[in-house]
Amino acid sequence: MQAELLIYPQWLLPVDAQDRQLKEHAVAVADGRILAVLPAAQARQSITATRVLELPGHVLIPGLVNAHTHAAMTLLRGFADDLPLMTWLHEYMWPMEKRWVDPGFVGDGSRLAVLEMLRGGVTCFNDMYLFPEVTAQVAADAGMRAVIGMMVVDFPTGYGDGADAYIAKGLAMHAHYRDHPLIRVGFAPHSPYAVSNAPLERLRTLADELEVPVHIHLHEARDEVVQSLRDHGERPLARLESLGLIGPGLVAVHMTQLEDTEIERLAAAGAHVVHCPESNLKLASGFCPVVRLLEAGVNVALGTDGAASNNDLDMLGEMRTAALLAKGVSGSAAALPAAQALRMATLNGARALGLEREIGSIEPGKSADLVALDLRDAHTQPLYHPVSQLVYAAGRHQVRQVWIQGRQVIRDGAPTSLDPAAVIGAAEGWAQRLRPS
């Protein structure tokens, strides 16, 4: 058998149905896809490869899927910290964005985010922000996989004067990227409190026609629920359900304010939830009931949120925080074990974005979106159980090799498709302009 690339890690975590932890196995890649997963001894006898990569002390995992981001907000990292959500949003973020956000801001911020995520083993991200076509182009140029949201809000911004304008621009972007190998496009209404019924009903119709996800902040904080009850006479989830938006295409982010009946409705509808533990903790938004959601059969993925409210895009950190938080909130040390945290950051994220047949696990036929981490550092030794070490001890500085669709985008810890000095220099230029006087 002929392959283009043959990888020999010490450990392989394929995130398959059995959650296997394989030792001394190999992964063969050809035409950007996984050709075979087999014991190393068998691979050495049966496969000839153009490039062979021996990775002693490394663990190979599927590329991480960051299922909720605002990539360009890296330029606002640390700008307005230690504030409650609605104060942070209405008094700092939205005024700042109205004044400064333009295609140049989004391009430079998105490049900084892509650089950070690639170095941290993230191979796919799901984004929601203004000027989404700029973020799409940045991701495509860097060879990164992304689902880019067609942003919708009721009010005017530098990107458009209302919902109709945002939808029109989003549809044009969708048409442009319809056949792109790495970029998908979905709808991204900001939240129930930022989008009125008429645009949401239109989005539901268009999402069904185009078969794209609807990515929305939902039940993020108590104030959102109180406001919805005051203005609409029902909780946000019930309002969306009455508009026909609760279904398999819904990607609901945060979900810290949930009742048992709402969890049952989400499960019955096949909707997806994205848990952003560190952002929720930092903004004191509440605790997503992850264990109850999973027990009910809801697919739960992981996201970082934007760097303005996290303040990093570190999915390894999110896995650790999610696992530890679930244990503390539930009172059970067995809640959300390491293998489940890894699944949430890979295959569950792929499933939420409709990409589970393409990415999320290391299986023959899937795209070769792969990440190798070197676990030979002191803080990840000795190594008894690689998945536990990965989730509870490893850091993103240990990411050494990253491939997306078989193309190496991180080699020996260094990016191959971005110039770090230029990216960081552009970010520093924005800091000079944005820095409070």
Side-chain angles (χ1 to χ4, degrees):
M1 186 183 299
Q2 181 66 40
E4 294 165 6
L5 173 65
L6 191 54
I7 308 169
Y8 291 100
Q10 183 170 352
W11 292 95
L12 172 62
L13 303 177
V15 191
D16 56 14
Q18 296 79 37
D19 280 329
R20 292 182 296 169
Q21 301 181 39
L22 303 175
K23 192 173 183 180
E24 304 300 338
H25 273 64
V27 176
V29 175
D31 297 322
R33 297 200 166 271
I34 298 167
L35 182 65
V37 177
L38 68 173
Q42 183 180 340
R44 295 185 194 282
Q45 293 179 349
S46 62
I47 298 179
T48 303
T50 305
R51 183 183 179 211
V52 175
L53 191 60
E54 303 277 356
L55 295 176
H58 286 63
V59 61
L60 190 71
I61 64 172
L64 300 173
V65 178
N66 189 345
H68 177 61
T69 60
H70 309 287
M73 293 185 82
T74 51
L75 295 184
L76 298 175
R77 191 194 320 260
F79 183 84
D81 282 340
D82 306 321
L83 296 166
L85 172 63
M86 291 303 174
T87 303
W88 175 83
L89 190 62
H90 289 278
E91 297 182 22
Y92 292 88
M93 290 299 110
W94 282 353
M96 173 63 69
E97 289 171 338
K98 184 176 181 180
R99 180 180 178 187
W100 289 105
V101 173
D102 61 12
F105 178 103
V106 173
D108 289 338
S110 295
R111 269 183 286 276
L112 183 62
V114 167
L115 175 61
E116 179 181 355
M117 286 191 282
L118 289 177
R119 280 180 157 172
V122 176
T123 58
C124 177
F125 68 102
N126 181 35
D127 204 59
M128 173 196 287
Y129 206 60
L130 302 169
F131 300 96
E133 65 278 359
V134 177
T135 301
Q137 191 61 56
V138 167
D141 290 345
M144 190 169 193
R145 193 181 299 278
V147 178
I148 303 296
M150 295 179 268
M151 179 72 175
V152 181
V153 290
D154 280 346
F155 50 84
T157 67
Y159 183 57
D161 59 8
D164 289 344
Y166 303 126
I167 292 171
K169 290 184 177 186
L171 291 174
M173 181 176 66
H174 178 269
H176 179 74
Y177 284 101
R178 181 178 290 119
D179 299 317
H180 197 279
L182 292 174
I183 306 300
R184 303 284 180 90
V185 175
F187 281 110
H190 179 273
S191 57
Y193 56 83
V195 188
S196 52
N197 283 2
L200 288 172
E201 288 176 332
R202 187 178 175 203
L203 291 186
R204 179 205 63 209
T205 301
L206 290 170
D208 289 344
E209 290 176 358
L210 300 174
E211 298 182 332
V212 298
V214 176
H215 171 203
I216 186 170
H217 300 108
L218 189 60
H219 285 229
E220 182 172 2
R222 181 179 178 275
D223 287 349
E224 175 193 340
V225 177
V226 171
Q227 179 182 325
S228 182
L229 288 168
R230 181 193 68 211
D231 296 344
H232 301 281
E234 57 188 349
R235 290 165 66 86
L237 186 68
R239 178 173 158 233
L240 291 192
E241 188 170 33
S242 70
L243 297 172
L245 281 164
I246 308 301
L250 182 70
V251 182
V253 184
H254 297 300
M255 302 296 268
T256 68
Q257 313 292 315
L258 285 174
E259 297 175 345
D260 288 343
T261 55
E262 292 171 327
I263 292 174
E264 292 169 6
R265 291 211 300 273
L266 290 166
H272 309 274
V273 169
V274 180
H275 179 32
C276 302
E278 294 187 4
S279 176
N280 291 342
L281 285 167
K282 186 167 180 284
L283 293 170
S285 298
F287 305 110
C288 177
V290 174
V291 174
R292 286 192 289 145
L293 285 162
L294 291 168
E295 288 175 347
V298 177
N299 179 56
V300 182
L302 280 180
T304 59
D305 209 347
S309 63
N310 186 307
N311 292 3
D312 57 40
L313 306 177
D314 181 1
M315 283 293 289
L316 288 170
E318 295 295 332
M319 280 196 288
R320 181 179 306 113
T321 301
L324 297 177
L325 186 62
K327 299 173 193 309
V329 169
S330 69
S332 170
L336 196 55
Q340 195 165 40
L342 177 60
R343 182 172 292 270
M344 288 168 62
T346 52
L347 189 56
N348 286 13
R351 184 172 292 118
L353 304 180
L355 295 173
E356 69 272 22
R357 294 183 179 180
E358 184 74 5
I359 62 171
S361 60
I362 302 176
E363 299 177 87
K366 285 196 170 184
S367 180
D369 291 18
L370 307 167
V371 174
L373 297 93
D374 189 344
L375 298 183
R376 292 175 293 185
D377 280 5
H379 66 279
T380 46
Q381 289 294 321
L383 198 159
Y384 303 111
H385 304 287
V387 69
S388 292
Q389 211 75 317
L390 177 75
V391 172
Y392 296 123
R396 57 182 170 169
H397 66 281
Q398 292 172 275
V399 171
R400 303 303 298 159
Q401 322 292 338
V402 179
W403 296 266
I404 298 175
Q405 229 175 35
R407 175 192 177 191
Q408 192 157 14
V409 292
I410 297 291
R411 180 180 291 115
D412 299 328
T416 66
S417 59
L418 288 164
D419 178 354
V423 171
I424 293 169
E428 290 173 343
W430 280 103
Q432 295 300 317
R433 279 174 274 179
L434 301 177
R435 183 170 286 115
S437 56

